[in-house]
């Protein structure tokens, strides 16, 4: 299983994988989940916080930019 800081997250290094743990700048942990329609980022409570992300680029953009304030 992959664990990566949100600032270093990139699809080119294979970080977009089911079950990947993403650590936000605040130290909060998020999990990347593959769904039938794309990808979701789940919070520590297991609830989606990203909505549906349809491509690896969208996942990378959300993680790098969206989790920077979490």
């Amino acid at each position: 299983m992959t664990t990566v800081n949100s600032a270093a997250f990139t699809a080119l290094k294979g970080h977009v994988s089911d079950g990947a743990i993403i650590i936000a700048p605040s130290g909060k942990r998020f999990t990347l989940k593959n769904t039938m329609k794309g990808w979701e980022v789940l919070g520590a409570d297991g609830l989606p916080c990203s909505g549906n992300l349809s491509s690896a680029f969208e996942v990378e953009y959300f993680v790098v930019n969206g989790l920077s304030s979490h």
Side-chain angles (χ1 to χ4, degrees):
M1 189 167 351
T2 303
T3 302
V4 63
N5 290 323
S6 61
F9 189 93
T10 180
L12 295 175
K13 291 185 179 178
H15 296 151
V16 179
S17 62
D18 191 43
I21 305 297
I22 304 159
I23 303 172
S26 65
K28 291 182 184 178
R29 293 177 171 255
F30 296 85
T31 305
L32 187 59
K33 180 181 177 189
N34 189 1
T35 68
M36 293 293 286
K37 295 182 180 181
W39 299 90
E40 287 182 339
V41 177
L42 306 176
D45 55 3
L47 297 175
C49 62
S50 67
N52 185 55
L53 304 167
S54 61
S55 69
F57 173 75
E58 286 185 15
V59 173
E60 182 176 336
Y61 186 86
F62 178 81
V63 169
V64 172
N65 298 300
L67 295 183
S68 65
S69 62
H70 282 79

